[in-house]
Amino acid sequence: MELLLSASDPRPMYQQIVDQVTARVMAGDWAPGQALPSIRELAADSGVSVITVRRAYEELERAGVIATRQGKGSVVAERADLPGALMHEELRRQLEALLALAARLGLDRDELHRLLDAAADARTPTPPGNTP
């Protein structure tokens, strides 16, 4: 399990670990039940403190991404719906950020809908034979 942690990243190291583990589980790169390195192993491999990794693992466990069994270590939570649930949670966070930004810009609901529709239309390919 290789994580790319950067001192130049503005996020704290524990958050970088949380984000990268979550991203790999969301992408399906890590299967339910897959073992994670021990806290000490990951700390040594990543060059961060044991406390930092412990905090990340505790956060991941609270979020339901991993499960820790005393004496057996941590594994990816064994939920078949986990990648989808994580993606929905990420979508919810992104929507909250979008709404906050729209409010700062003074956009009303109708303008926000128009912008969303335009963005969705730009992503939708034109069916063959329906070229404008």
Side-chain angles (χ1 to χ4, degrees):
M1 172 173 144
E2 185 178 326
L3 300 179
L4 303 173
L5 306 179
S6 171
S8 63
D9 189 315
R11 296 171 299 160
M13 291 293 183
Y14 84 90
Q15 189 63 54
Q16 291 180 51
I17 294 169
V18 169
D19 292 348
Q20 288 183 42
V21 170
T22 301
R24 290 192 180 175
V25 172
M26 267 195 304
D29 294 341
W30 293 350
Q34 181 173 336
L36 275 68
S38 73
I39 290 172
R40 291 187 193 287
E41 285 175 303
L42 186 55
D45 291 348
S46 303
V48 297
S49 76
V50 168
I51 295 167
T52 298
V53 177
R54 180 175 290 121
R55 181 173 180 187
Y57 276 27
E58 287 170 353
E59 190 124 337
L60 287 162
E61 190 161 18
R62 270 194 301 279
V65 177
I66 68 171
T68 302
R69 295 181 186 96
Q70 198 64 26
K72 298 197 185 234
S74 298
V75 297
V76 174
E78 297 195 44
R79 290 179 41 199
D81 69 332
L82 185 58
L86 292 172
M87 285 188 274
H88 275 91
E89 179 59 24
E90 178 62 21
L91 176 61
R92 188 196 61 73
R93 280 193 297 272
Q94 295 281 337
L95 287 171
E96 287 295 326
L98 173 69
L99 291 171
L101 180 58
R104 285 196 308 272
L105 290 170
L107 300 178
D108 64 17
R109 183 180 288 238
D110 290 336
E111 181 61 21
L112 188 57
H113 278 276
R114 279 191 290 279
L115 290 169
L116 184 57
D117 287 341
D121 290 346
R123 291 184 51 93
T124 305
T126 306
N130 290 354
T131 309

